Amino acid sequence: MNKKIVLWSIAVGLGGLLFGMDVAVISGAEKTIQQLWDLSSWMHGTAIAMALYGTAVGAAFGNIPANKIGRKKSLLWIGVLFLLSSIGAALAPEIWSFMFFRFVSGLSIGASSVVAPVYISEIAPAKYRGRLVISFQLNIVAGILLAYLSNYLLQGVGGSNDWRWMLGIVAVPSALFSIIMLAVPET
């Protein structure tokens, strides 16, 4: 098998790392967010679930830009959305902007769950397709683990604002993913 195809599959599979990180990173921040903005149980649940609502929409409609502008450009824009939404959520001054950025984050999660596996399956020889697409699923699990680890390490770092660091840390792999997407070919 062509080594470039393996490398491109692993690179695109990093979209799964962003997926896993962004889904799990909220676990370290949610209690502080509830207290900070004095949220009712309903509003707290809604705010924390915004990324999941966005994920459903992103998964349902992620194929549209992928078919119009191509998989590579879509993955690049997904990385940029991950970047902007993680910074936006981390800097949110109130609950409504926080919820907006978490929804956008969910759009990225959902779209990446559609576009990245399709990209990998399109470049992979049929014989190795399953083996290469698994890089996306493995990266989801790695992203969840990385989110929990970063939440643990960032506890207390920013005092009462450590939750902002927890959410903002997703910007680092998002920026790297966006840069990497410039190097992969279109399918």
Side-chain angles (χ1 to χ4, degrees):
M1 179 173 17
N2 187 332
K3 290 181 183 180
K4 284 185 179 181
I5 291 175
V6 173
L7 186 62
W8 295 331
S9 296
I10 292 169
V12 171
L14 292 175
L17 184 88
L18 296 175
F19 176 132
M21 255 189 108
D22 215 343
V23 165
V25 78
I26 195 69
S27 67
E30 58 92 13
K31 288 290 183 198
T32 306
I33 289 167
Q34 183 180 28
Q35 294 168 353
L36 174 69
W37 290 316
D38 194 31
L39 303 177
S40 67
S41 295
W42 185 86
M43 191 63 161
H44 176 237
T46 302
I48 301 309
M50 286 307 287
L52 298 177
Y53 301 142
T55 299
V57 174
F61 298 105
N63 66 317
I64 294 171
N67 290 336
K68 282 190 179 251
I69 64 171
R71 280 46 157 163
K72 174 186 172 163
K73 287 181 185 172
S74 294
L75 287 166
L76 174 63
W77 281 108
I78 288 168
V80 170
L81 282 179
F82 270 120
L83 175 67
L84 296 175
S85 64
S86 62
I87 293 170
L91 297 176
E94 36 66 38
I95 191 62
W96 300 106
S97 58
F98 173 80
M99 289 170 51
F100 170 78
F101 283 112
R102 287 299 292 165
F103 184 81
V104 172
S105 152
L107 293 174
S108 305
I109 294 166
S112 74
S113 73
V114 173
V115 181
V118 167
Y119 178 97
I120 295 168
S121 68
E122 286 179 351
I123 65 166
K127 183 178 177 181
Y128 300 105
R129 195 166 290 143
R131 293 181 207 173
L132 294 175
V133 172
I134 199 167
S135 68
F136 184 79
Q137 283 77 21
L138 290 173
N139 272 299
I140 292 172
V141 176
I144 293 168
L145 177 63
L146 189 57
Y148 290 150
L149 180 63
S150 68
N151 282 351
Y152 174 76
L153 294 173
L154 291 170
Q155 274 183 321
V157 167
S160 63
N161 285 320
D162 59 356
W163 69 275
R164 294 183 185 277
W165 289 98
M166 291 175 187
L167 294 174
I169 197 73
V170 178
V172 175
S174 299
L176 292 173
F177 179 76
S178 298
I179 293 166
I180 291 169
M181 286 306 98
L182 294 172
V184 300
E186 186 58 74
T187 60

